[in-house]
């Protein structure tokens, strides 16, 4: 049994972070699957190259606002200093080197799990790190290899794409994102 602190890496663009993200991270902590969940704000997702993203520092600020006061959660800009695009295997290896007192696990959606065979060095991730998979659309728990955990959690019918579209259309997003994030979006005139 490792005495290293179990730390879940929850990577994403978080453009913007919403209540679904917060709920998943809370569930990981509540179930004792990890001591901490790090929201790893990705400056450039290798699977979304060419997609325009909000400034990375603003996305990080939104995550910081969203998790303020929540136990066991941290907003991380670790990937900002890595080569871009940062592949997950490289991020995990760099984290392991920078934080040898921690055991890193990965939190991904079932949609990403379905495509995991296409991930850069996905077999290496699977061999070296634990993975927690959460359903995205009511999927049943598939047969999973050793080291992969299915997190059956309540899903919120919200996505970052939906939030951006609602802001663009002038609709109220309160209840879909934390109030502090809604205020930040309004104050900075994002997604108009």
């Amino acid at each position: 049994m490792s005495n290293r602190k179990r730390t879940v890496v929850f990577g994403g663009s978080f453009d913007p972070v919403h209540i679904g993200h917060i709920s998943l991270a809370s569930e990981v902590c509540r179930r004792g699957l990890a001591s901490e969940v790090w929201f790893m704000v990705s400056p450039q997702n290798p699977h979304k190259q060419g997609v325009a993203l909000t400034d990375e520092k603003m996305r990080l600020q939104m995550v910081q606002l969203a998790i303020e006061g929540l136990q066991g959660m941290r907003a991380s800009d670790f990937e900002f200093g890595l080569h871009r695009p940062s592949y997950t295997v490289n991020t995990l290896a760099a984290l392991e080197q920078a934080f040898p007192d921690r055991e890193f696990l990965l939190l991904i959606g079932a949609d990403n799990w379905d495509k995991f065979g296409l991930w850069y060095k996905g077999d290496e991730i699977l061999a070296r790190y634990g993975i927690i998979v959460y359903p995205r659309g009511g999927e049943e728990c598939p047969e999973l290899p050793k080291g992969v955990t299915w997190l059956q959690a309540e899903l919120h019918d919200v996505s970052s794409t939906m939030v951006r579209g609602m802001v663009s259309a002038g609709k109220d997003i309160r209840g879909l994102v934390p109030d502090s994030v809604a205020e930040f979006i309004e104050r900075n005139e994002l997604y108009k």
Side-chain angles (χ1 to χ4, degrees), residues 38-123:
W38 290 7
F39 286 76
M40 188 66 56
V41 179
S42 175
Q44 182 185 350
N45 182 326
H47 301 288
K48 295 181 182 176
Q49 292 192 53
V51 175
L53 293 172
T54 302
D55 175 76
E56 61 200 37
K57 290 185 178 81
M58 292 183 105
R59 290 183 284 121
L60 178 68
Q61 280 182 277
M62 286 190 276
V63 173
Q64 290 167 333
L65 288 168
I67 64 173
E68 193 171 359
L70 297 179
Q71 196 69 28
M73 295 186 209
R74 181 192 292 193
S76 177
D77 64 357
F78 189 81
E79 281 194 343
F80 292 10
L82 299 179
H83 180 75
R84 297 177 192 198
S86 183
Y87 292 97
T88 302
V89 69
N90 298 337
T91 299
L92 289 167
L95 283 166
E96 209 171 32
Q97 191 169 1
F99 302 96
D101 60 326
R102 293 182 179 268
E103 174 190 352
F104 290 98
L105 299 92
L106 186 61
L107 177 63
I108 63 173
D111 55 338
N112 277 311
W113 176 250
D114 289 343
K115 297 181 270 189
F116 200 74
L118 303 174
W119 280 37
Y120 178 69
K121 296 191 177 180
D123 52 343

Side-chain angles (χ1 to χ4, degrees), residues 90-176:
N90 298 337
T91 299
L92 289 167
L95 283 166
E96 209 171 32
Q97 191 169 1
F99 302 96
D101 60 326
R102 293 182 179 268
E103 174 190 352
F104 290 98
L105 299 92
L106 186 61
L107 177 63
I108 63 173
D111 55 338
N112 277 311
W113 176 250
D114 289 343
K115 297 181 270 189
F116 200 74
L118 303 174
W119 280 37
Y120 178 69
K121 296 191 177 180
D123 52 343
E124 186 178 323
I125 296 171
L126 198 52
R128 292 180 56 192
Y129 305 98
I131 301 174
I132 301 170
V133 180
Y134 62 90
R136 292 292 296 253
E139 302 94 342
E140 293 297 315
C141 177
E143 196 169 313
L144 298 169
K146 185 175 186 265
V148 180
T149 303
W150 183 258
L151 175 64
Q152 191 63 50
E154 179 189 350
L155 292 178
H156 293 269
D157 188 20
V158 60
S159 70
S160 297
T161 304
M162 175 196 299
V163 172
R164 291 192 306 270
M166 289 177 70
V167 172
S168 178
K171 295 182 179 172
D172 186 11
I173 57 169
R174 290 185 194 275
L176 300 179

